[in-house]
Amino acid sequence: LTHLNILWSKEPRLFALEYNNEGKRKYISAHLGRFINFYWRECNAKDRHYYELIREKTPCRLYFDIEYNKMANPGIDDDTNEILIKEFIEELEIEVKDRFNLLIGRSDIVDLDSSTEKKFSRHLIVHMPNGELFEDAVHCGKFVKTIIGRLAEEVATNILEKKGRSTLSNHLFMFAKEASVSHERDNQRSKTCFVDTGVYTRNRIFRILGSRKFGKKTSASLRIALHNEFPFPETFTNECFYEEDIQNDGNDDEVA
């Protein structure tokens, strides 16, 4: 479906609307076209707190939730972040070719950003060459864990470094939290993979482009990443989802 044809889609979908600071949500069943028409054309940007539900045992695209705590990892700048994403996608391309004999590139991956001053956050959605889908979110998770397992082994054996993926090798695992005391050593702090492997459960909800968590700044909305190469239509830009007069509201920018 193109960005216009989708407005005529009668495919049934389930969505969720977050309506308070406690994360409570109500669920909406609607034709895809009717919901998208409302979301794009009628819903005020400040009221967009919507998610799509990835239903249990339903085919879906491969997706990734990439994030880390900036405050706990202060030495990583924006340029390093982009190299990290680039090297991870290169390894993803290799894995997809080896496992499924499919060729993908950066232009096949929707790259979305909801980073703030405190948190780096990117969502990647993979469009396979012929529209291939995974059996469901759980099977996506198994594939993702296979990739992370291989990369972790290649970090431990220095293979990833030798392959020229030094940034990915150095930052595959990040500090989860800031140091609790000034004298706490780095080797005493726990690390976690910057790819969240916990988002592949049954009936998972996935935030929609242009939406933000309830009570957060519009700057924390899920938006098209600066370095996205997926070919969105020329008229489909971040400006479709934001209003200038609410860019700098007074809410804090912490996102979970």
Side-chain angles (χ1 to χ4, degrees), residues 10-243:
K10 292 187 177 181
E11 180 182 348
R13 295 284 184 93
L14 286 173
F15 302 93
L17 171 63
E18 191 172 50
Y19 62 86
N20 69 16
N21 287 317
E22 298 176 355
K24 290 186 177 181
R25 306 178 181 97
K26 63 180 180 180
Y27 290 84
I28 304 162
S29 176
H31 289 156
L32 177 60
R34 179 168 292 185
F35 176 83
I36 293 299
N37 181 70
F38 160 76
Y39 188 76
W40 283 354
R41 296 176 171 177
E42 300 175 18
C43 186
N44 192 301
K46 68 181 180 181
D47 297 323
R48 291 190 176 120
H49 311 293
Y50 286 91
Y51 301 74
E52 182 177 1
L53 189 143
I54 304 174
R55 298 179 65 180
E56 179 182 2
K57 298 181 180 179
T58 300
C60 65
R61 299 187 192 279
L62 176 63
Y63 61 93
F64 296 89
D65 187 0
I66 294 175
E67 61 182 29
Y68 71 84
N69 184 332
K70 287 184 177 180
M71 310 303 289
N73 301 275
I76 305 175
D77 58 20
D78 290 343
D79 289 340
T80 302
N81 284 329
E82 293 309 320
I83 296 172
L84 181 63
I85 293 292
K86 174 180 176 292
E87 292 183 358
F88 175 73
I89 289 176
E90 289 171 348
E91 287 298 318
L92 173 61
E93 293 169 2
I94 292 171
E95 194 74 24
V96 169
K97 177 64 169 64
D98 289 347
R99 291 284 299 277
F100 308 118
N101 198 30
L102 294 173
L103 297 176
I104 61 169
R106 191 76 185 252
S107 63
D108 299 307
I109 301 173
V110 176
D111 186 356
L112 305 178
D113 190 354
S114 63
S115 299
T116 67
E117 292 182 359
K118 296 181 180 179
K119 182 179 179 181
F120 177 81
S121 179
R122 296 279 270 273
H123 293 185
L124 305 180
I125 306 169
V126 182
H127 288 239
M128 296 296 186
N130 300 305
E132 294 89 348
L133 301 174
F134 275 73
E135 184 175 335
D136 56 24
V138 173
H139 282 78
C140 279
K142 292 178 180 178
F143 175 74
V144 172
K145 289 175 183 177
T146 298
I147 298 175
I148 300 306
R150 173 176 67 81
L151 293 177
E153 183 176 351
E154 291 186 1
V155 169
T157 56
N158 209 34
I159 292 176
L160 206 55
E161 180 82 27
K162 293 177 180 177
K163 289 165 65 176
R165 309 272 199 263
S166 59
T167 300
L168 183 59
S169 180
N170 291 333
H171 302 299
L172 179 65
F173 296 96
M174 305 275 201
F175 290 119
K177 297 180 180 179
E178 298 174 61
S180 57
V181 290
S182 59
H183 60 271
E184 184 178 20
R185 296 179 181 178
D186 285 350
N187 61 8
Q188 296 175 315
R189 298 165 61 194
S190 63
K191 286 189 172 184
T192 185
C193 183
F194 77 97
V195 178
D196 187 350
T197 58
V199 297
Y200 303 99
T201 54
R202 296 177 296 176
N203 293 323
R204 190 75 184 186
I205 59 171
F206 205 79
R207 191 150 36 119
I208 298 174
L209 177 63
S211 280
R212 58 194 166 108
K213 295 187 177 183
F214 191 92
K216 307 306 179 184
K217 286 184 178 181
T218 51
S219 60
S221 297
L222 191 62
R223 56 199 177 272
I224 301 170
L226 179 64
H227 295 279
N228 169 73
E229 296 182 18
F230 184 84
F232 285 107
E234 290 185 5
T235 57
F236 193 84
T237 65
N238 284 329
E239 284 68 29
C240 297
F241 299 99
Y242 303 115
E243 295 180 357

